[in-house]
Amino acid sequence: MSQSLSTDVLIVGGGIAGLWLNARLRQQGFSTVLLECGSLGGGQSLKSQGIIHGGAKYALHGALTGASEAIADMPRRWREALAGNGELDLSGVRILSEAHYLWSPGTLAGNLTSFFASKAVRGRVDQVKGEQLPPALQHPKFKGKVYRLAELVLDVPSLIARLAELAGDGLLAAERIEPLQENAELCGLIVDGREIRAQRVVLSAGAGNAELLAALGVEQPAQQLRPLHMVLAKGPALKPLYAHCLGGGPKPRVTVTTHPAADGQWVWYLGGDLAEADGVARDEAAQIQAAQKEMAALLPWVDQSQTRWATLRVDRAEPAQSGLVRPDNAFLAEQQRLLVGWPTKLALAPDFADRVLAILQRDNLQPAGHAALPELPRPPLGLPVWEALLP
Ligand code: FAD
């Protein structure tokens, strides 16, 4: 059996939630070990669109929801970290766009009037025209209205790589995880036969939390999965576009982000309503057709003759909510030494870490000065989805 280890906080899951938390704990002097059974970021995080929401999207009804309030401070915290003077040093992480845009292809619909009057967006949304328009919309035939939101879009692969750097020697590739108990209480985990003792165990394994909880014999919190059927397009004629295209309803008709492929081409990554219920019901061919039709209607001047298309099915994992609605902020539950949660958004990773740190502070948990870690088998970095699907 491998040498047993001890650490202050043992984290399971190397997506944005686990990696961000890990970096913050280490910066505060705690020792950590982070377990990952696949690749770093390879769950939802590298499949996300990388938008650091400030909540404006959620105010499309005109009503200020809990989500708009909770998320409003996230862009500032991320900006400071990206500038190297925030809670983490993320300088060097690539920013794909300084702004995300709201794009109304026709005239302003009624629901948008109240949207622009709402507290969540007041002072944070400016109309842009001409050369300020996103490159893909700079065309004489473009007729819509475009508003700039103060929401960043990040290159998630470079973010995950930076957080893996900040994890130092504490990353461990793990296959089989079992509970380690003392006096009928969880005191760590047995990882591929190796005992790892910890003051606290945090499950931040995204969709893997449900199975881990079952393996630990814990029933709550329950998890919900909300499926998406995303579309990717890669071609020489595509130009950058980061925008929610508004339809008549409360959800964006399509949300477009654009990502740099290794061969220098741009990849459009399409979500929003296109990827929700109706899109989930379509098979891959029908979903690609729906996306082609949508983009041809919205951006008819883009030559798509050499564009290649693919789709990606992926579930958002979250705490169970009545009616499968989206939860309002990062979620964390505790049971003795076990903490478990979901950030519910990439943008809310700082909020997830805050919640764990608040519990450690409440319990007056101090760094215990553990022995240095031996060299551990390190999990690999995940591959960007566009490289996997459209190489
Ligand atoms: P994950 O990234 O899924 O990480 C969990 C990790 O745990 C994985 O690496 C997995 O391999 C590992 N794991 C699982 N089981 C085990 C186990 N038993 N042992 C060890 N490791 C385990 N949010 C935004 O803020 N902005 C966006 O633009 C955005 N776009 C999105 C687009 C899509 C298509 C999707 C699906 C989500 C999007 N989100 C977005 C939401 C965001 O991606 C997620 O909320 C966030 O990435 C979840 O992070 P996580 O660390 O909890 O989970």
Side-chain angles (χ1 to χ4, degrees):
M1 192 196 283
S2 323
Q3 175 196 351
S4 57
L5 303 174
S6 65
T7 188
D8 292 324
V9 184
L10 179 55
I11 301 170
V12 188
I16 188 66
L19 286 168
W20 186 289
L21 170 66
N22 184 53
R24 286 219 51 206
L25 287 168
R26 284 189 158 233
Q27 187 203 45
Q28 299 200 2
F30 289 101
S31 64
T32 63
V33 174
L34 184 151
L35 310 175
E36 170 55 54
C37 69
S39 57
L40 299 169
Q44 293 161 86
S45 297
L46 279 169
K47 297 172 185 130
S48 81
Q49 293 189 281
I51 306 164
I52 304 302
H53 304 280
K57 181 177 87 163
Y58 305 128
L60 278 176
H61 292 289
L64 195 64
T65 64
S68 324
E69 293 277 30
I71 209 166
D73 201 28
M74 291 301 137
R76 177 192 62 81
R77 289 177 66 176
W78 280 88
R79 269 180 212 282
E80 286 175 5
L82 290 158
N85 53 26
E87 57 211 70
L88 292 178
D89 180 1
L90 298 184
S91 50
V93 171
R94 181 166 175 184
I95 298 174
L96 294 177
S97 180
E98 283 289 339
H100 197 67
Y101 294 84
L102 276 177
W103 156 33
S104 167
T107 50
L108 268 189
N111 65 334
L112 281 183
T113 316
S114 53
F115 167 69
F116 285 110
S118 83
K119 191 175 141 203
V121 293
R122 215 180 301 148
R124 294 202 275 145
V125 181
D126 301 311
Q127 189 173 355
V128 293
K129 294 181 177 166
E131 283 176 7
Q132 296 173 317
L133 286 170
L137 301 182
Q138 290 184 22
H139 193 276
K141 287 198 185 136
F142 178 67
K143 292 281 184 304
K145 287 199 163 68
V146 179
Y147 300 83
R148 187 181 198 276
L149 299 175
E151 298 184 349
L152 296 167
V153 188
L154 298 184
D155 176 51
V156 180
S158 69
L159 169 64
I160 297 293
R162 174 64 184 145
L163 291 171
E165 250 170 52
L166 294 177
D169 58 1
L171 299 174
L172 172 59
E175 273 178 29
R176 210 178 66 254
I177 295 179
E178 297 154 283
L180 177 63
Q181 291 191 318
E182 214 167 58
N183 304 325
E185 261 198 45
L186 190 77
C187 62
L189 296 172
I190 306 171
V191 182
D192 297 323
R194 182 204 296 261
E195 289 188 358
I196 307 183
R197 289 174 182 275
Q199 304 199 62
R200 291 290 180 280
V201 174
V202 181
L203 304 184
S204 57
N209 276 347
E211 206 177 301
L212 283 163
L213 285 173
L216 300 181
V218 178
E219 282 176 14
Q220 290 293 328
Q223 170 176 297
Q224 74 181 25
L225 297 177
R226 286 189 303 142
L228 287 171
H229 195 181
M230 305 290 287
V231 180
L232 295 99
K234 179 176 175 182
L238 304 189
K239 289 184 186 165
L241 180 58
Y242 301 92
H244 299 301
C245 175
L246 302 170
K251 282 197 173 163
R253 173 173 166 180
V254 55
T255 296
V256 188
T257 50
T258 315
H259 305 267
D263 62 6
Q265 289 191 13
W266 288 110
V267 177
W268 278 351
Y269 193 25
L270 310 177
D273 219 25
L274 173 74
E276 301 270 352
D278 291 349
V280 171
R282 291 181 200 115
D283 65 16
E284 178 172 10
Q287 179 67 341
I288 288 176
Q289 249 178 21
Q292 287 171 332
K293 199 171 151 208
E294 191 71 329
M295 297 320 277
L298 292 168
L299 302 166
W301 53 87
V302 179
D303 173 8
Q304 301 282 17
S305 58
Q306 290 186 65
T307 303
R308 291 186 295 138
W309 300 79
T311 72
L312 173 75
R313 288 188 187 274
V314 53
D315 290 330
R316 290 159 292 184
E318 299 159 341
Q321 307 277 300
S322 53
L324 278 192
V325 293
R326 175 184 37 73
D328 282 354
N329 8 43
F331 175 92
L332 187 72
E334 64 174 321
Q335 195 178 90
Q336 296 169 342
R337 291 196 197 185
L338 179 70
L339 308 179
V340 52
W342 297 266
T344 77
K345 290 252 124 220
L346 180 97
L348 284 164
D351 186 36
F352 179 80
D354 284 355
R355 284 163 198 266
V356 175
L357 287 162
I359 286 180
L360 303 190
Q361 200 175 14
R362 181 201 66 196
D363 296 347
N364 199 20
L365 194 124
Q366 303 294 332
H370 297 277
L373 292 170
E375 196 169 321
L376 299 171
R378 206 173 158 88
L381 288 174
L383 200 64
V385 276
W386 41 92
E387 301 302 343
L389 294 170
L390 292 170

